[in-house]
Amino acid sequence: MLDERAGDAALEAPNYDNEFDAIVVGAGLAGSAAALTMANRGLEPLLVERGSYPGAKNVFGGVLYTPTIRELVDLDAAPLERYVAEKRFSMLSHDDETAISLKPGEWHREPHNDSYTVYRGEFDEWFADQAVEAGATLVTETTVTGVIREGGDIVGVETDRPDGAIRAPYVVLAEGGNSLVSEGASLKSPESRENIAVAAKEVLEFPERSGVIEDRFRLVGDAGVSYQYFGEGAVGEAYGGGFIYTNGDTVSVGVAYSLEDAATKRQSPEETLNLFKSHPAVAPLLRGARTVEYGAKTIPEGGAESMPSLVHNGAVIVGDAAGLVLNNGVHLEGTNMAVESGYYAGTAIVEAAERGRTEASALESYSERLEDSFVVQNLERYAWLQDRVEEDRELLFEQLPRAIADASSEYFTMDRRPKEMHAKAAKQRVFDTLGGWKGATKLALRYRKLVK
Amino acid sequence: MSVSPQAPEIENDSMEDRLYTVKYEDPGDSHLDVKVASICADSCETADCVSICPADVWRREDGEGVPTIAYENCLECSSCRFACPYDNVSWEYPKTGAGVTYKRG
Ligand SMILES: Cc1cc2nc3c(=O)[nH]c(=O)nc-3n(C[C@H](O)[C@H](O)[C@H](O)COP(=O)(O)OP(=O)(O)OC[C@H]3O[C@@H](n4cnc5c(N)ncnc54)[C@H](O)[C@@H]3O)c2cc1C
Ligand code: SF4
Ligand code: SF4
């Protein structure tokens, strides 16, 4: 680490002009993946993190997706909490729940569908350490305040340290969704609030006795769950949902929903979270738990349409800073995209450095590889979804959850009428809500791309 | 249709209790401010900064005027920055690692 190598003087005045091959802004998943990739291939990157350690400032829901990370590091040594053995999707009306649960046996076997709950405070620090062990230099408690330009080229960064300018041939902007540096350098415009979700999250502990999590969530060993909740009972009439993830001996509970809705509903994210936790389907899972951490963050969810240009003369943008998050209600993935983009960005810089080039065209292979990867392909696949859901919001979040809950209880009603009558009435209940065959067909057509 | 009237009571901590669970070290100068006070006072009716903030940092007496900002409690979530319809929130990161620290995140 820088501090050990250069002593306290380094903290006062880093002054590492051109000592490093690249500067990575932010030691989150994207930044550390980029630094690790470069260090593995012989470059000396500097990783600059504003928190007192990597991960100290980071909040996410709970599941780290590891298909690429697993190739970069030895995950057996990583601080993982549980693997995800069950995915459950619940539709909540005001006081009903209709759920489907998926528990493929395969998920119990390595690599566990590449889905693990983690604490970012622990995982990000460990992951950044892997980059340091490979040869990267990490400096913490240092905020990058802007880029240094010469002509049209980015040639370094300004930091909040005294005399804190640092120059290097390449800058990787891995600063997350609140990307003040990229915006300040006019590499992207601030997201409009329609393209941002706000999230509030708690980590809860069960002080009463051990084994509560295993009992409540029906878990054995390291298995864990990912529960997602939609509909009126989760986050009111807003676009978004609630979630519960199990860690080793805590659970993470949160809500994430459109910032536009949150602002206009005049119900704070904290209140929305409280209501979600008190829903009759959710409260029994959390009974007796104590909050040990409360956090909040925004999520960029503009998708493919709001991705900025990823490559510039001397700089690339990766991870959340580039808007690489898939958040469509069914999937909430950003960790895999952050690592994938960091990996491709790092690779592109290594190749450009071998040819002694820094201009955008020499770094273009980063955005080309990303375009061909699941990252951009998945974002494009769902580009249409958000607008459509927005148009159908009342139907999808309010009317349908209620209709389906009513229909299920009708279908299983215990009385002396024949089953056929109940089945008919149940079907009718859903059909009325959808506007009959015509409405149902129309809706199916509108969303057919989801299963294509 | 009502199914479960007896959901167990969930104790939701007050905001004051919640903020004990995060740590704010030596904040120095506020990293939050309004850019033009008169916009808040004269033009802004809804004060979305107040309703969006998950940590009660922004408050507006009697629903009008320029909000007060209890910046020490800020979770650095950036919501207020994106929410203000007048782009009137001046937002930067707290200096040299100060601010909220999460253990778990
Ligand atoms: C509530 C919530 C739930 C989520 N749930 C999931 C989930 O379950 N699964 C999933 O895959 N994804 C989830 N995501 C998305 C995921 O967290 C992000 O996509 C991912 O963390 C992006 O990684 P990143 O490295 O790009 O950015 P970040 O993780 O945000 O890292 C950015 C880093 O840069 C540092 N930094 C910022 N600015 C500066 C600066 N100027 N100078 C120095 N350092 C700076 C920050 O301190 C931070 O360490 C969730 C997000 C949220 C908010
Ligand atoms: S929303 Fe913007 S303009 Fe309105 S009170 Fe808040 S900071 Fe001022
Ligand atoms: S950044 Fe988040 S916690 Fe801080 S004042 Fe703004 S809305 Fe509130």
Side-chain angles (χ1 to χ4, degrees):
Chain A
M1 294 227 281
L2 191 63
D3 307 5
E4 283 153 60
R5 204 179 68 173
D8 283 347
L11 287 179
E12 292 306 313
N15 203 5
Y16 287 114
D17 269 5
N18 293 317
E19 274 200 31
F20 294 95
D21 296 313
I23 299 166
V24 181
V25 182
L29 298 168
S32 290
L36 178 62
T37 304
M38 290 187 275
N40 275 341
R41 306 254 314 255
L43 293 189
E44 288 186 23
L46 174 69
L47 194 50
V48 184
E49 167 57 45
R50 72 186 188 91
S52 52
Y53 54 89
K57 300 284 190 186
N58 295 350
V59 176
F60 89 142
V63 186
L64 177 78
Y65 298 106
T66 56
T68 312
I69 279 203
R70 183 154 51 84
E71 317 238 308
L72 297 175
V73 293
D74 173 13
L75 265 192
D76 288 342
L80 306 173
E81 292 293 308
R82 290 175 183 274
Y83 67 85
V84 175
E86 178 186 7
K87 253 182 184 302
R88 198 162 171 277
F89 299 90
S90 291
M91 209 150 30
L92 299 182
S93 76
H94 181 63
D95 61 2
D96 317 290
E97 175 181 34
T98 311
I100 47 169
S101 152
L102 313 170
K103 292 182 173 181
E106 182 65 30
W107 291 359
H108 287 292
R109 290 186 282 280
E110 299 253 6
H112 302 300
N113 194 32
D114 274 314
S115 310
Y116 299 88
T117 53
V118 304
Y119 295 135
R120 293 293 296 277
E122 289 178 9
F123 189 88
D124 287 17
E125 189 174 27
W126 177 85
F127 191 38
D129 267 350
Q130 306 306 298
V132 170
E133 271 170 32
T137 299
L138 170 68
V139 54
T140 57
E141 297 190 22
T142 304
T143 303
V144 171
T145 52
V147 300
I148 306 172
R149 271 186 202 274
E150 238 157 51
D153 303 345
I154 292 170
V155 296
V157 300
E158 297 282 353
T159 74
D160 63 350
R161 297 279 177 199
D163 199 10
I166 315 173
R167 283 159 188 266
Y170 306 97
V171 173
V172 179
L173 293 155
E175 47 179 332
N178 189 23
S179 36
L180 300 172
V181 181
S182 303
E183 286 172 31
S186 302
L187 303 181
K188 67 183 272 197
S189 39
E191 271 303 350
S192 65
R193 69 183 200 174
E194 293 79 23
N195 285 340
I196 297 280
V198 57
K201 170 196 170 179
E202 279 180 10
V203 179
L204 303 174
E205 209 174 54
F206 296 90
E208 60 196 78
R209 64 189 166 87
S210 65
V212 178
I213 293 180
E214 284 79 358
D215 291 352
R216 279 205 199 153
F217 295 90
R218 294 166 296 169
L219 298 174
V220 177
D222 291 341
V225 304
S226 152
Y227 287 2
Q228 271 166 276
Y229 298 85
F230 318 95
E232 203 184 8
V235 287
E237 288 136 50
Y239 181 61
F243 57 79
I244 301 181
Y245 301 110
T246 51
N247 306 308
D249 46 23
T250 65
V251 298
S252 298
V253 179
V255 290
Y257 58 119
S258 146
L259 190 145
E260 173 79 27
D261 292 343
T264 47
K265 258 172 51 161
R266 326 225 68 76
Q267 173 185 302
S268 77
E270 182 225 357
E271 286 162 346
T272 305
L273 176 58
N274 287 349
L275 284 176
F276 170 61
K277 284 168 62 191
S278 307
H279 189 282
V282 175
L285 297 170
L286 310 177
R287 186 183 55 230
R290 197 169 55 101
T291 305
V292 290
E293 193 168 273
Y294 173 64
K297 204 172 169 191
T298 54
I299 309 173
E301 52 178 10
E305 282 163 29
S306 47
M307 240 169 65
S309 302
L310 302 179
V311 175
H312 303 271
N313 290 338
V316 292
I317 311 183
V318 297
D320 276 15
L324 306 178
V325 180
L326 182 64
N327 186 11
N328 61 18
V330 183
H331 310 280
L332 174 42
E333 299 176 13
T335 56
N336 50 346
M337 297 177 144
V339 171
E340 193 79 352
S341 63
Y343 169 68
Y344 286 135
T347 309
I349 290 176
V350 169
E351 290 166 0
E354 280 163 3
R355 291 180 288 141
R357 309 261 299 274
T358 61
E359 72 278 13
S361 61
L363 296 167
E364 202 55 52
S365 67
Y366 159 49
S367 67
E368 284 164 12
R369 286 191 185 119
L370 205 68
E371 295 272 341
D372 290 340
S373 74
F374 72 87
V375 176
V376 174
Q377 286 182 14
N378 287 354
L379 288 179
E380 281 172 350
R381 180 180 154 90
Y382 292 104
W384 55 280
L385 185 65
Q386 189 164 345
D387 293 343
R388 195 139 312 169
V389 170
E390 185 56 43
E391 290 159 22
D392 298 333
R393 161 206 294 267
E394 222 185 285
L395 176 67
L396 293 180
F397 291 108
E398 252 182 284
Q399 297 163 354
L400 204 56
R402 228 176 289 153
I404 287 177
D406 288 355
S408 348
S409 58
E410 172 66 47
Y411 189 82
F412 290 107
T413 294
M414 199 40 69
D415 59 14
R416 297 174 66 204
R417 283 182 295 163
K419 294 284 184 226
E420 192 187 346
M421 277 179 67
H422 288 300
K424 265 195 186 144
K427 207 156 73 185
Q428 200 57 46
R429 177 71 180 87
V430 176
F431 263 42
D432 287 349
T433 304
L434 294 176
W437 272 113
K438 233 165 123 190
T441 313
K442 231 167 83 191
L443 197 73
L445 279 174
R446 276 168 76 74
Y447 291 91
R448 70 186 180 285
K449 274 202 252 167
L450 272 183
V451 287
K452 244 201 343 217
Chain B
M1 189 191 59
S2 180
V3 280
S4 176
Q6 317 91 330
E9 275 292 305
I10 288 295
E11 263 188 56
N12 286 312
D13 293 331
S14 70
M15 185 51 68
E16 279 69 26
D17 290 336
R18 283 203 160 122
L19 293 174
Y20 281 125
T21 62
V22 297
K23 198 169 122 205
Y24 210 90
E25 304 157 334
D26 184 22
D29 295 333
S30 170
H31 61 291
L32 298 168
D33 211 338
V34 296
K35 290 180 190 162
V36 182
S38 62
I39 294 181
C40 301
D42 303 337
S43 311
C44 185
E45 288 181 5
T46 53
D48 292 347
C49 57
V50 175
S51 52
I52 197 66
C53 179
D56 276 355
V57 170
W58 295 78
R59 294 191 187 174
R60 204 187 204 190
E61 294 297 320
D62 307 320
E64 50 184 70
V66 185
T68 56
I69 307 170
Y71 66 89
E72 295 92 338
N73 294 342
C74 175
L75 300 169
E76 296 164 33
C77 73
S78 75
S79 302
C80 52
R81 175 166 104 85
F82 290 112
C84 173
Y86 297 90
D87 185 25
N88 197 29
V89 173
S90 142
W91 205 108
E92 53 189 56
Y93 281 116
K95 293 281 182 282
T96 54
V100 67
T101 298
Y102 296 107
K103 246 173 77 186
R104 299 176 172 88

